Amino acid sequence: MCARADSWRGPGRIAVRLQQPASSPAEPDTVVAVDRDTASCSRFGRHVLAGTRWRAPSGNWFLLAAGSRDITRITATGTVRADESARTPTVPAPREGDVNLTGRLTNGEQLPSVR
């Protein structure tokens, strides 16, 4: 989910959060990306892409990525290589290493991820 905070001074800041399945609604979510001085997550910046690593109960590590509704494809480069025509791909990943995500919008433009 994308949480946004604005002030009267202009562009705000965002935090992209991962809310995992939990045994209790009180369990906290995890901040996976932040950005400042941005219009993202608002009516002026509706396109957002972010990702994080996640450890499954099995002990295996995955890259989880999520993009807003106009994203048609997500590409991962670096220690994870994937090219998925989905808005929420999940791919096996090592626990560490650099990963860059890029989204492709319905109009053909590319969108970098929030980090």
Side-chain angles (χ1 to χ4, degrees), residues 11-96:
R13 58 189 168 104
I14 64 167
V16 179
R17 299 170 174 270
L18 170 65
Q19 192 163 10
Q20 300 181 49
S23 57
S24 159
E27 286 189 39
D29 54 14
T30 304
V31 174
V32 298
V34 295
D35 200 1
R36 296 183 186 281
D37 297 325
T38 182
S40 294
C41 300
S42 76
R43 66 184 184 138
F44 302 108
R46 295 181 180 185
H47 307 304
V48 178
L49 170 64
T52 190
R53 285 186 174 82
W54 173 72
R55 187 175 182 189
S58 66
N60 296 327
W61 285 90
F62 293 89
L63 171 68
L64 305 179
S68 52
R69 75 178 115 199
D70 282 346
I71 291 180
T72 60
R73 177 168 229 84
I74 296 176
T75 302
T77 58
T79 57
V80 177
R81 294 207 174 268
D83 189 29
E84 302 284 329
S85 59
R87 286 193 335 238
T88 57
T90 302
V91 294
R95 181 178 180 177
E96 296 179 9

Side-chain angles (χ1 to χ4, degrees), residues 72 103-110:
T72 60
R104 173 86 52 194
L105 299 171
T106 55
N107 66 6
E109 289 181 34
Q110 287 191 333

